[in-house]
Amino acid sequence: MKPLIIANWKSNPDSFSKAKELFSQIPKKENVIICPPNIYFSLGGNVNLGSQNCFFQSGAFTGEISPEMLKSLKINYVILGHSERRNYFEETNELISKKVKACLKENLKIILCVGEKKGESLSSVLKKQLSSFQKGVFAVAYEPVWAIGTGQACKSEEAEKALKLIKKKVNCKVLYGGSVNGSNFKDYLKVGFDGVLVGGASLKIKEFKKML
Ligand code: PEP
């Protein structure tokens, strides 16, 4: 099985034309999933697409996107519980659990993000955050918060400890995310991760292509 490479573009790039240009350089590969801002989905052609978030229902929830909407557009993947959602938008484990349940109902492939902040206990954070896990979740992404977007990736030996703890608790693919780049991504595969979740480096096409 080829390792999964999931690109999280976050709120980038800042224009439709730049998104078009970026998509035009990404070859379709079955193990590669691109999660752009939803407003750019139509540019994705036939690459595998994922959403960076979604709400748990349709209706009077201004600004939100529902699992049913994603399903109807054949967006098969969804990231839930990203640390930026938890920290900037105050998403709780309870809310994330509702989202997981609703996305499972639509058979979306969920990538559930977990990870500790600097100084927090890894095992207690995992215990709390993995309470949102339900049977059928496609992958858990271990993303230590202090490694995201900082250029300070977690050493693969350290990440391996988290991988083992996660594998003890849940049965699904486990990915690593946090300052992954074209040089270090193989280290995480070597210690047993099933793939990587890539933020910043997925916007630099040369860097991203090294992984592909
Ligand atoms: C992410 O956003 O999930 C992420 C891992 O970002 P970066 O690769 O930029 O650290």
Short mmCIF file of all heavy atoms in Angstrom, two decimals, residues 145-202:
data_model
loop_
_atom_site.label_atom_id
_atom_site.label_comp_id
_atom_site.label_asym_id
_atom_site.label_seq_id
_atom_site.Cartn_x
_atom_site.Cartn_y
_atom_site.Cartn_z
N VAL A 145 0.99 20.16 18.17
CA VAL A 145 0.64 21.55 17.81
C VAL A 145 1.88 22.40 17.63
O VAL A 145 1.95 23.23 16.71
CB VAL A 145 -0.30 22.14 18.89
CG1 VAL A 145 -0.66 23.58 18.58
CG2 VAL A 145 -1.58 21.30 19.01
N TRP A 146 2.89 22.16 18.46
CA TRP A 146 4.11 22.96 18.41
C TRP A 146 4.93 22.71 17.14
O TRP A 146 5.85 23.47 16.84
CB TRP A 146 4.97 22.69 19.66
CG TRP A 146 5.15 21.21 19.94
CD1 TRP A 146 4.36 20.44 20.75
CD2 TRP A 146 6.14 20.33 19.39
NE1 TRP A 146 4.81 19.14 20.74
CE2 TRP A 146 5.89 19.05 19.92
CE3 TRP A 146 7.21 20.51 18.51
CZ2 TRP A 146 6.68 17.95 19.61
CZ3 TRP A 146 8.00 19.40 18.19
CH2 TRP A 146 7.72 18.15 18.75
N ALA A 147 4.58 21.66 16.41
CA ALA A 147 5.34 21.36 15.18
C ALA A 147 4.64 21.89 13.93
O ALA A 147 5.21 21.88 12.84
CB ALA A 147 5.54 19.85 15.05
N ILE A 148 3.41 22.37 14.09
CA ILE A 148 2.65 22.80 12.92
C ILE A 148 3.05 24.20 12.48
O ILE A 148 2.97 25.16 13.26
CB ILE A 148 1.13 22.75 13.20
CG1 ILE A 148 0.71 21.30 13.46
CG2 ILE A 148 0.33 23.34 12.04
CD1 ILE A 148 -0.76 21.11 13.72
N GLY A 149 3.52 24.27 11.24
CA GLY A 149 3.85 25.57 10.65
C GLY A 149 5.04 26.27 11.27
O GLY A 149 5.25 27.45 11.04
N THR A 150 5.82 25.54 12.07
CA THR A 150 6.93 26.18 12.78
C THR A 150 8.29 25.84 12.17
O THR A 150 9.29 26.44 12.52
CB THR A 150 6.97 25.70 14.25
OG1 THR A 150 7.10 24.27 14.25
CG2 THR A 150 5.73 26.11 15.01
N GLY A 151 8.30 24.83 11.28
CA GLY A 151 9.59 24.37 10.75
C GLY A 151 10.31 23.47 11.74
O GLY A 151 11.40 22.97 11.47
N GLN A 152 9.69 23.26 12.90
CA GLN A 152 10.31 22.38 13.91
C GLN A 152 9.55 21.06 13.97
O GLN A 152 8.71 20.85 14.85
CB GLN A 152 10.27 23.04 15.28
CG GLN A 152 11.15 24.26 15.33
CD GLN A 152 11.03 25.01 16.65
OE1 GLN A 152 10.10 24.79 17.43
NE2 GLN A 152 11.95 25.90 16.88
N ALA A 153 9.84 20.21 13.02
CA ALA A 153 9.13 18.92 12.96
C ALA A 153 9.46 18.10 14.20
O ALA A 153 10.54 18.24 14.79
CB ALA A 153 9.55 18.18 11.71
N CYS A 154 8.53 17.26 14.60
CA CYS A 154 8.77 16.34 15.72
C CYS A 154 9.73 15.26 15.23
O CYS A 154 9.56 14.74 14.12
CB CYS A 154 7.41 15.72 16.09
SG CYS A 154 7.45 14.51 17.40
N LYS A 155 10.73 14.93 16.03
CA LYS A 155 11.67 13.88 15.60
C LYS A 155 10.90 12.58 15.39
O LYS A 155 9.98 12.27 16.15
CB LYS A 155 12.74 13.67 16.67
CG LYS A 155 13.69 14.83 16.81
CD LYS A 155 15.01 14.35 17.45
CE LYS A 155 16.01 15.48 17.51
NZ LYS A 155 15.85 16.31 18.71
N SER A 156 11.30 11.83 14.39
CA SER A 156 10.51 10.63 14.06
C SER A 156 10.49 9.63 15.22
O SER A 156 9.49 8.95 15.44
CB SER A 156 11.02 9.98 12.77
OG SER A 156 12.38 9.68 12.89
N GLU A 157 11.57 9.56 16.02
CA GLU A 157 11.58 8.63 17.17
C GLU A 157 10.54 9.05 18.19
O GLU A 157 9.91 8.22 18.84
CB GLU A 157 12.94 8.61 17.89
CG GLU A 157 14.17 8.49 17.02
CD GLU A 157 14.68 9.84 16.54
OE1 GLU A 157 15.36 10.56 17.29
OE2 GLU A 157 14.36 10.18 15.37
N GLU A 158 10.36 10.37 18.35
CA GLU A 158 9.35 10.87 19.29
C GLU A 158 7.95 10.60 18.74
O GLU A 158 7.06 10.16 19.46
CB GLU A 158 9.51 12.40 19.46
CG GLU A 158 10.65 12.81 20.34
CD GLU A 158 10.54 12.23 21.74
OE1 GLU A 158 9.47 12.37 22.35
OE2 GLU A 158 11.52 11.62 22.21
N ALA A 159 7.78 10.89 17.46
CA ALA A 159 6.47 10.70 16.83
C ALA A 159 6.07 9.22 16.89
O ALA A 159 4.89 8.88 17.03
CB ALA A 159 6.51 11.19 15.39
N GLU A 160 7.08 8.35 16.82
CA GLU A 160 6.82 6.90 16.87
C GLU A 160 6.15 6.52 18.20
O GLU A 160 5.30 5.63 18.24
CB GLU A 160 8.14 6.15 16.70
CG GLU A 160 7.97 4.67 16.54
CD GLU A 160 9.30 3.92 16.46
OE1 GLU A 160 10.38 4.56 16.61
OE2 GLU A 160 9.26 2.70 16.25
N LYS A 161 6.53 7.22 19.27
CA LYS A 161 5.90 6.93 20.58
C LYS A 161 4.40 7.21 20.52
O LYS A 161 3.58 6.45 21.00
CB LYS A 161 6.55 7.77 21.69
CG LYS A 161 7.96 7.36 22.01
CD LYS A 161 8.52 8.21 23.13
CE LYS A 161 10.04 8.05 23.18
NZ LYS A 161 10.70 9.17 23.88
N ALA A 162 4.08 8.35 19.90
CA ALA A 162 2.66 8.71 19.76
C ALA A 162 1.95 7.71 18.86
O ALA A 162 0.83 7.28 19.15
CB ALA A 162 2.54 10.12 19.18
N LEU A 163 2.63 7.32 17.80
CA LEU A 163 2.05 6.34 16.86
C LEU A 163 1.66 5.06 17.61
O LEU A 163 0.55 4.53 17.45
CB LEU A 163 3.09 6.02 15.77
CG LEU A 163 2.81 4.85 14.84
CD1 LEU A 163 1.63 5.16 13.93
CD2 LEU A 163 4.03 4.51 13.98
N LYS A 164 2.57 4.60 18.48
CA LYS A 164 2.30 3.35 19.22
C LYS A 164 1.11 3.52 20.16
O LYS A 164 0.27 2.64 20.28
CB LYS A 164 3.55 2.90 19.97
CG LYS A 164 4.59 2.35 19.00
CD LYS A 164 5.75 1.73 19.71
CE LYS A 164 6.67 1.06 18.67
NZ LYS A 164 8.06 1.09 19.06
N LEU A 165 1.07 4.68 20.84
CA LEU A 165 -0.05 4.93 21.76
C LEU A 165 -1.37 4.96 20.99
O LEU A 165 -2.38 4.41 21.43
CB LEU A 165 0.13 6.28 22.47
CG LEU A 165 1.14 6.35 23.61
CD1 LEU A 165 1.27 7.80 24.10
CD2 LEU A 165 0.70 5.46 24.75
N ILE A 166 -1.36 5.60 19.84
CA ILE A 166 -2.59 5.72 19.04
C ILE A 166 -3.02 4.35 18.53
O ILE A 166 -4.20 3.98 18.63
CB ILE A 166 -2.39 6.72 17.87
CG1 ILE A 166 -2.17 8.13 18.42
CG2 ILE A 166 -3.57 6.70 16.92
CD1 ILE A 166 -1.66 9.15 17.41
N LYS A 167 -2.05 3.58 18.04
CA LYS A 167 -2.38 2.25 17.50
C LYS A 167 -2.94 1.33 18.58
O LYS A 167 -3.69 0.41 18.29
CB LYS A 167 -1.13 1.61 16.86
CG LYS A 167 -0.72 2.26 15.55
CD LYS A 167 -1.20 1.50 14.32
CE LYS A 167 -0.72 2.14 13.04
NZ LYS A 167 -1.34 1.71 11.83
N LYS A 168 -2.52 1.57 19.84
CA LYS A 168 -3.07 0.76 20.94
C LYS A 168 -4.54 1.06 21.16
O LYS A 168 -5.29 0.24 21.62
CB LYS A 168 -2.33 1.12 22.24
CG LYS A 168 -1.29 0.10 22.64
CD LYS A 168 -0.89 0.38 24.06
CE LYS A 168 0.59 0.03 24.24
NZ LYS A 168 1.12 0.61 25.47
N LYS A 169 -4.92 2.32 20.87
CA LYS A 169 -6.30 2.75 21.18
C LYS A 169 -7.26 2.58 20.01
O LYS A 169 -8.45 2.37 20.22
CB LYS A 169 -6.31 4.23 21.60
CG LYS A 169 -5.64 4.47 22.95
CD LYS A 169 -5.68 5.97 23.26
CE LYS A 169 -4.83 6.33 24.44
NZ LYS A 169 -5.38 5.90 25.72
N VAL A 170 -6.77 2.76 18.79
CA VAL A 170 -7.71 2.74 17.66
C VAL A 170 -7.17 1.90 16.50
O VAL A 170 -5.96 1.68 16.40
CB VAL A 170 -7.98 4.18 17.13
CG1 VAL A 170 -8.59 5.06 18.20
CG2 VAL A 170 -6.72 4.82 16.57
N ASN A 171 -8.10 1.48 15.66
CA ASN A 171 -7.73 0.63 14.54
C ASN A 171 -8.02 1.37 13.24
O ASN A 171 -9.14 1.36 12.75
CB ASN A 171 -8.53 -0.67 14.64
CG ASN A 171 -8.13 -1.65 13.59
OD1 ASN A 171 -7.08 -1.48 12.94
ND2 ASN A 171 -8.95 -2.66 13.37
N CYS A 172 -7.04 2.08 12.73
CA CYS A 172 -7.17 2.78 11.45
C CYS A 172 -5.78 3.23 11.02
O CYS A 172 -4.80 2.98 11.72
CB CYS A 172 -8.11 3.99 11.59
SG CYS A 172 -7.41 5.34 12.54
N LYS A 173 -5.71 3.89 9.89
CA LYS A 173 -4.42 4.41 9.45
C LYS A 173 -3.99 5.53 10.38
O LYS A 173 -4.84 6.24 10.92
CB LYS A 173 -4.53 4.98 8.04
CG LYS A 173 -4.82 3.91 7.00
CD LYS A 173 -4.89 4.55 5.62
CE LYS A 173 -5.35 3.54 4.60
NZ LYS A 173 -4.52 2.32 4.53
N VAL A 174 -2.68 5.69 10.55
CA VAL A 174 -2.18 6.80 11.37
C VAL A 174 -1.16 7.59 10.55
O VAL A 174 -0.23 7.01 9.96
CB VAL A 174 -1.56 6.31 12.71
CG1 VAL A 174 -1.13 7.51 13.56
CG2 VAL A 174 -2.55 5.44 13.49
N LEU A 175 -1.38 8.89 10.49
CA LEU A 175 -0.50 9.78 9.72
C LEU A 175 0.26 10.69 10.67
O LEU A 175 -0.19 10.93 11.79
CB LEU A 175 -1.35 10.67 8.79
CG LEU A 175 -2.49 10.00 8.01
CD1 LEU A 175 -3.29 11.06 7.26
CD2 LEU A 175 -1.92 8.97 7.05
N TYR A 176 1.38 11.22 10.17
CA TYR A 176 2.09 12.27 10.94
C TYR A 176 1.93 13.59 10.21
O TYR A 176 1.99 13.65 8.97
CB TYR A 176 3.59 11.95 11.08
CG TYR A 176 4.32 13.16 11.64
CD1 TYR A 176 4.26 13.46 13.00
CD2 TYR A 176 4.96 14.09 10.79
CE1 TYR A 176 4.84 14.61 13.50
CE2 TYR A 176 5.54 15.25 11.28
CZ TYR A 176 5.47 15.49 12.65
OH TYR A 176 6.03 16.65 13.16
N GLY A 177 1.75 14.66 10.97
CA GLY A 177 1.73 16.00 10.40
C GLY A 177 2.42 16.98 11.33
O GLY A 177 2.33 16.88 12.55
N GLY A 178 3.10 17.98 10.73
CA GLY A 178 3.80 19.00 11.51
C GLY A 178 5.15 19.26 10.88
O GLY A 178 6.10 18.51 11.11
N SER A 179 5.20 20.30 10.01
CA SER A 179 6.44 20.69 9.35
C SER A 179 7.07 19.55 8.53
O SER A 179 8.30 19.41 8.49
CB SER A 179 7.44 21.27 10.36
OG SER A 179 6.92 22.46 10.91
N VAL A 180 6.21 18.77 7.90
CA VAL A 180 6.73 17.74 6.98
C VAL A 180 7.22 18.45 5.71
O VAL A 180 6.57 19.39 5.23
CB VAL A 180 5.62 16.73 6.61
CG1 VAL A 180 6.09 15.78 5.51
CG2 VAL A 180 5.19 15.94 7.84
N ASN A 181 8.35 17.97 5.19
CA ASN A 181 8.85 18.54 3.93
C ASN A 181 9.44 17.44 3.05
O ASN A 181 9.41 16.26 3.44
CB ASN A 181 9.88 19.66 4.21
CG ASN A 181 11.05 19.15 5.02
OD1 ASN A 181 11.55 18.05 4.78
ND2 ASN A 181 11.50 19.95 5.99
N GLY A 182 9.98 17.84 1.92
CA GLY A 182 10.49 16.87 0.95
C GLY A 182 11.67 16.07 1.47
O GLY A 182 12.01 15.02 0.91
N SER A 183 12.32 16.54 2.52
CA SER A 183 13.49 15.81 3.03
C SER A 183 13.14 14.90 4.20
O SER A 183 13.73 13.85 4.36
CB SER A 183 14.57 16.79 3.51
OG SER A 183 14.75 17.79 2.57
N ASN A 184 12.21 15.33 5.06
CA ASN A 184 11.99 14.54 6.29
C ASN A 184 10.82 13.55 6.19
O ASN A 184 10.64 12.73 7.08
CB ASN A 184 11.80 15.47 7.51
CG ASN A 184 10.53 16.31 7.43
OD1 ASN A 184 9.66 16.07 6.60
ND2 ASN A 184 10.41 17.30 8.31
N PHE A 185 10.02 13.62 5.13
CA PHE A 185 8.78 12.82 5.15
C PHE A 185 9.04 11.33 5.23
O PHE A 185 8.29 10.59 5.86
CB PHE A 185 7.86 13.19 3.98
CG PHE A 185 8.22 12.55 2.67
CD1 PHE A 185 7.52 11.47 2.21
CD2 PHE A 185 9.27 13.04 1.91
CE1 PHE A 185 7.84 10.87 0.99
CE2 PHE A 185 9.60 12.45 0.70
CZ PHE A 185 8.90 11.36 0.24
N LYS A 186 10.14 10.89 4.63
CA LYS A 186 10.43 9.45 4.63
C LYS A 186 10.70 8.92 6.04
O LYS A 186 10.45 7.76 6.33
CB LYS A 186 11.64 9.16 3.75
CG LYS A 186 11.32 9.10 2.29
CD LYS A 186 12.50 8.56 1.52
CE LYS A 186 12.26 8.69 0.04
NZ LYS A 186 13.52 8.83 -0.70
N ASP A 187 11.23 9.78 6.92
CA ASP A 187 11.55 9.35 8.29
C ASP A 187 10.30 8.84 9.00
O ASP A 187 10.36 7.91 9.80
CB ASP A 187 12.13 10.51 9.11
CG ASP A 187 13.39 11.07 8.50
OD1 ASP A 187 14.00 10.35 7.67
OD2 ASP A 187 13.76 12.22 8.83
N TYR A 188 9.16 9.48 8.72
CA TYR A 188 7.91 9.10 9.40
C TYR A 188 7.35 7.80 8.83
O TYR A 188 6.77 7.00 9.56
CB TYR A 188 6.88 10.25 9.30
CG TYR A 188 7.46 11.50 9.91
CD1 TYR A 188 7.97 12.52 9.11
CD2 TYR A 188 7.57 11.62 11.29
CE1 TYR A 188 8.57 13.64 9.65
CE2 TYR A 188 8.15 12.74 11.86
CZ TYR A 188 8.65 13.74 11.02
OH TYR A 188 9.26 14.84 11.59
N LEU A 189 7.59 7.58 7.56
CA LEU A 189 7.14 6.32 6.95
C LEU A 189 7.98 5.18 7.49
O LEU A 189 7.47 4.10 7.78
CB LEU A 189 7.24 6.40 5.42
CG LEU A 189 6.51 7.60 4.78
CD1 LEU A 189 6.66 7.60 3.28
CD2 LEU A 189 5.02 7.61 5.16
N LYS A 190 9.29 5.46 7.68
CA LYS A 190 10.20 4.41 8.17
C LYS A 190 9.80 3.91 9.55
O LYS A 190 9.97 2.75 9.85
CB LYS A 190 11.64 4.95 8.23
CG LYS A 190 12.37 4.83 6.93
CD LYS A 190 13.84 5.20 7.11
CE LYS A 190 14.39 5.74 5.80
NZ LYS A 190 15.41 6.78 5.99
N VAL A 191 9.30 4.80 10.42
CA VAL A 191 8.94 4.35 11.77
C VAL A 191 7.51 3.79 11.83
O VAL A 191 7.03 3.43 12.89
CB VAL A 191 9.15 5.44 12.85
CG1 VAL A 191 10.61 5.83 12.96
CG2 VAL A 191 8.25 6.66 12.62
N GLY A 192 6.84 3.73 10.69
CA GLY A 192 5.56 3.01 10.67
C GLY A 192 4.31 3.83 10.40
O GLY A 192 3.21 3.28 10.37
N PHE A 193 4.45 5.15 10.20
CA PHE A 193 3.26 5.94 9.85
C PHE A 193 2.76 5.51 8.46
O PHE A 193 3.56 5.15 7.59
CB PHE A 193 3.56 7.44 9.86
CG PHE A 193 3.63 8.01 11.26
CD1 PHE A 193 4.85 8.12 11.92
CD2 PHE A 193 2.47 8.42 11.91
CE1 PHE A 193 4.91 8.64 13.22
CE2 PHE A 193 2.52 8.93 13.20
CZ PHE A 193 3.74 9.04 13.86
N ASP A 194 1.45 5.58 8.28
CA ASP A 194 0.84 5.18 7.01
C ASP A 194 0.85 6.31 5.99
O ASP A 194 0.37 6.12 4.86
CB ASP A 194 -0.61 4.74 7.24
CG ASP A 194 -0.69 3.56 8.19
OD1 ASP A 194 -0.17 2.50 7.83
OD2 ASP A 194 -1.24 3.71 9.30
N GLY A 195 1.33 7.46 6.39
CA GLY A 195 1.37 8.59 5.47
C GLY A 195 1.59 9.89 6.23
O GLY A 195 1.87 9.88 7.43
N VAL A 196 1.47 10.99 5.50
CA VAL A 196 1.73 12.30 6.10
C VAL A 196 0.62 13.29 5.74
O VAL A 196 -0.03 13.18 4.69
CB VAL A 196 3.09 12.88 5.63
CG1 VAL A 196 4.25 12.17 6.30
CG2 VAL A 196 3.25 12.81 4.11
N LEU A 197 0.43 14.24 6.65
CA LEU A 197 -0.48 15.37 6.40
C LEU A 197 0.42 16.59 6.28
O LEU A 197 1.19 16.91 7.20
CB LEU A 197 -1.47 15.49 7.56
CG LEU A 197 -2.50 16.62 7.56
CD1 LEU A 197 -3.23 16.73 6.24
CD2 LEU A 197 -3.52 16.41 8.67
N VAL A 198 0.35 17.22 5.13
CA VAL A 198 1.32 18.27 4.82
C VAL A 198 0.63 19.61 4.66
O VAL A 198 -0.30 19.74 3.86
CB VAL A 198 2.04 17.95 3.47
CG1 VAL A 198 3.21 18.89 3.25
CG2 VAL A 198 2.50 16.50 3.43
N GLY A 199 1.07 20.61 5.39
CA GLY A 199 0.50 21.95 5.28
C GLY A 199 1.35 22.80 4.35
O GLY A 199 1.28 22.69 3.12
N GLY A 200 2.19 23.64 4.94
CA GLY A 200 2.99 24.63 4.18
C GLY A 200 3.70 24.07 2.96
O GLY A 200 3.67 24.69 1.88
N ALA A 201 4.31 22.89 3.10
CA ALA A 201 5.11 22.34 1.98
C ALA A 201 4.23 21.91 0.81
O ALA A 201 4.73 21.74 -0.30
CB ALA A 201 5.97 21.18 2.47
N SER A 202 2.93 21.75 1.05
CA SER A 202 2.06 21.33 -0.08
C SER A 202 1.76 22.50 -1.01
O SER A 202 1.23 22.32 -2.11
CB SER A 202 0.76 20.71 0.44
OG SER A 202 -0.06 21.68 1.05
#
